[in-house]
Amino acid sequence: MDTDRFWTVIESVRAGGPDGKPGDKPFDEVLVDLLAALSKEDILEFQTRFDEIHDAVHRWDVWAAAYLIGGGCSDDSFIDFRAGLIALGREWYERAAADPDSLAGHPAVIEGAADGRDEALFYEDVNYAASRAFERVAAVGEDFYEEWRRHRSVRGESGGGGSEADMGEDFDFDDDEEMSRRLPRLAALYLDELVA
């Protein structure tokens, strides 16, 4: 599964799944349903692309955006935030990757800031969609994580996640002036409200 096909799967889910009818199911459940209709190999390939795309936004500037939006952001929460960026679809993901401050224009962020909700864009369950889909189609005794490690080793891939050097310049997320300088639109939504 190449990157374009990965995003086609995500956009299909955003449109309501294979039948194109948005229903009452949450995004992650529709994603699991769609992935479970694929082969086990395609599910493993989806996870590989997911990890690559997820790791590509493992950067300090993106983490700072998550910190503002979430009213703080632990390591685990940052994993969920990056999954949430993927669930937004390719256009918003690429926008955020190029300029994390652009998330200030996303309707969920605007609404979350106005309502004082800090869960906007954090989506833990998306991280586990491939493993849940694999469980549905696997034979008895097959384990997703074992199969995924095997799949990666056969392809010569190592573990995910970049080094801290790959994350760009670190800065103090608790320094309101620095955050306002680096992420002015998000800071205006979140920090100005705290000061007011």
Side-chain angles (χ1 to χ4, degrees), residues 6-7 14 51 70-71 76 92 113 120 123-124 136-137 143 160 172 195:
F6 172 89
W7 284 115
R14 291 182 51 72
D51 287 349
D76 286 344
W92 272 104
Y123 206 153
E124 179 180 12
R136 284 193 195 172
V137 300
D143 177 71
D172 185 358
V195 173

Side-chain angles (χ1 to χ4, degrees), residues 28-84:
D28 64 289
E29 291 179 19
V30 177
L31 179 57
V32 170
D33 290 345
L34 194 144
L35 292 174
L38 302 176
S39 70
K40 289 187 280 190
E41 193 64 24
D42 280 342
I43 294 170
L44 295 170
E45 280 294 313
F46 176 90
Q47 184 66 47
T48 299
R49 294 294 83 71
F50 180 90
D51 287 349
E52 289 171 359
I53 291 165
H54 193 265
D55 289 348
V57 288
H58 188 249
R59 303 188 328 241
W60 292 117
D61 58 344
V62 177
W63 202 332
Y67 192 87
L68 285 172
I69 292 167
C73 185
S74 67
D75 295 356
D76 286 344
S77 292
F78 188 45
I79 291 169
D80 301 342
F81 182 81
R82 290 179 285 146

Side-chain angles (χ1 to χ4, degrees), residues 13 22 59 68 120 135 170 175 183:
V13 173
R59 303 188 328 241
L68 285 172
E135 287 171 8
D170 187 6
D175 181 338
L183 301 164

Side-chain angles (χ1 to χ4, degrees), residues 129-151:
S131 64
R132 289 173 46 211
F134 190 89
E135 287 171 8
R136 284 193 195 172
V137 300
V140 174
E142 275 185 308
D143 177 71
F144 170 77
Y145 295 102
E146 287 178 21
E147 289 299 314
W148 185 59
R149 280 189 288 278
R150 180 204 52 77
H151 174 80

